Amino acid sequence: MPGASLVVAGDHQPAIVHALVHSINQALGNFDKTIYFTQPIEESPIDQWQSIGELAADIRSGKVTTLLILGGNPAYDAPADLGFRELLPKVKFSARLGLYEDELRRCATGISPRRTL
């Protein structure tokens, strides 16, 4: 029966696998039955590179006194030229909720391990 199934590719599969799964779902008649295409859910998309650059500038100018980092690691992930590793100690209070102890623990005021269920 067309549209009575769903084929899914894992998040870490290469693009070619996702394209193949898309074609399989189309051939099985799953579009508009078990698969619905919608507009992106991000209502106000931002340029993340610009945003992290603005945050770095605000830290540099002293505008940021408290910074909470949820799961990220700007000391590692942010563009190197922003110098987050050197900037974070300038924030009066910074805390990070994350899974790992990494280079951010040397920069942030507080680190809290996130518990998983």
Side-chain angles (χ1 to χ4, degrees):
M1 180 157 132
S5 62
L6 173 66
V7 180
V8 179
D11 287 344
H12 299 290
Q13 294 298 319
I16 189 71
V17 172
H18 286 272
L20 179 61
V21 167
H22 183 86
S23 295
I24 292 169
N25 279 307
Q26 185 176 22
L28 292 171
N30 293 334
F31 292 172
D32 295 323
K33 297 198 176 52
T34 57
I35 297 175
Y36 299 94
F37 297 98
T38 63
Q39 294 298 317
I41 59 171
E42 190 173 3
E43 186 173 317
S44 301
I46 60 167
D47 179 339
Q48 294 179 0
W49 294 109
Q50 179 183 349
S51 180
I52 194 88
E54 290 170 359
L55 175 60
D58 287 347
I59 292 172
R60 213 173 269 109
S61 70
K63 292 179 183 177
V64 178
T65 59
T66 302
L67 181 62
L68 303 176
I69 302 166
L70 305 176
N73 181 359
Y76 177 79
D77 294 326
D81 61 330
L82 295 179
F84 259 89
R85 195 173 294 193
E86 295 76 33
L87 285 176
L88 283 174
K90 296 179 180 187
V91 177
K92 185 175 180 179
F93 177 79
S94 59
R96 184 233 191 167
L97 178 65
L99 291 175
Y100 309 105
E101 280 196 35
D102 47 35
E103 55 278 289
L104 192 60
R105 69 182 156 88
R106 293 184 211 100
C107 306
T109 308
I111 302 288
S112 176
R114 187 176 94 190
R115 303 287 183 226
T116 58
L117 298 176

